[in-house]
């Protein structure tokens, strides 16, 4: 019997196809009719609004597969966390991904500003980082903030219904690299 790959393995397999220029995803008219009735996304994703970061393309997934929440700097604002909670509690997504990316303009702005204001003041920065370090740090901290602020998401992990992960997409190569992964009986690695 063929084992069904886990949601994260499905995303990573799609990302491999994208990197290699062998994408297979398509959006047929018949599929749209099915989606008009209901959808059961494979994952909920918090990502940056950057036009070079489009999860459906980067993970080679069709319409209806990814519940995507986009905000500059992939910052876990209250609205973003509540949207992710909707995906977990009403759509029963089995996977939540925080997705940072290389060359992030929002993280660059926060790094260069002595006193970042508004949304960018919420970007998490370590002491004296370079841009790549700051992008990785902000992505990992975004996931930790979601876990700190959402008992609902934490409960879903502990009940074994949800896996959460963070990772960074390298725009030039297209490759998505996992940073952290939390699931039941495996609190971080
Ligand atoms: Zn960005």
């Amino acid at each position: 019997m063929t084992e069904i790959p886990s949601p994260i393995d499905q995303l990573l397999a799609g990302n491999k196809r994208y990197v290699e220029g062998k994408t297979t995803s398509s959006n047929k008219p018949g599929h749209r009719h099915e989606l008009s009735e209901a959808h059961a996304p494979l994952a909920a994703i918090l990502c940056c609004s950057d036009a070079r970061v489009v999860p459906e393309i980067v993970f080679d997934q069709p319409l209806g597969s990814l519940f995507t929440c986009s905000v500059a700097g992939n910052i876990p604002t209250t609205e973003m966390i509540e949207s992710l909670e909707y995906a977990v509690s009403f759509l029963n997504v089995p996977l939540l991904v925080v997705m940072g990316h290389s060359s992030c303009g929002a993280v660059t702005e926060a790094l260069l500003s002595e006193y970042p204001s508004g949304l960018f003041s919420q970007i998490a920065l370590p002491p004296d980082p370079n841009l790549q370090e700051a992008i990785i740090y902000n992505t990992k901290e975004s996931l930790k903030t979601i876990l700190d602020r959402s008992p609902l998401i934490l409960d879903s992990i502990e009940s074994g219904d949800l896996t959460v992960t963070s990772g960074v997409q390298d725009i030039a190569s297209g490759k998505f690299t996992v940073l952290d992964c939390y699931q039941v009986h495996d609190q971080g690695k």
Side-chain angles (χ1 to χ4, degrees), residues 1-14:
M1 196 167 76
T2 308
E3 199 174 322
I4 298 171
S6 70
I8 186 66
D9 285 343
Q10 290 183 58
L11 290 192
L12 294 177

Side-chain angles (χ1 to χ4, degrees), residues 48 50 73 101 104-106:
C48 186
D50 195 295
H101 68 97
C104 183

Side-chain angles (χ1 to χ4, degrees), residues 93-127:
V93 295
L95 175 67
L96 189 159
V97 180
V98 177
M99 184 178 183
H101 68 97
S102 62
S103 309
C104 183
V107 175
T108 302
E109 177 70 20
L111 265 184
L112 296 179
S113 303
E114 194 171 356
Y115 301 106
S117 61
L119 185 65
F120 293 166
S121 68
Q122 297 178 55
I123 287 178
L125 295 175

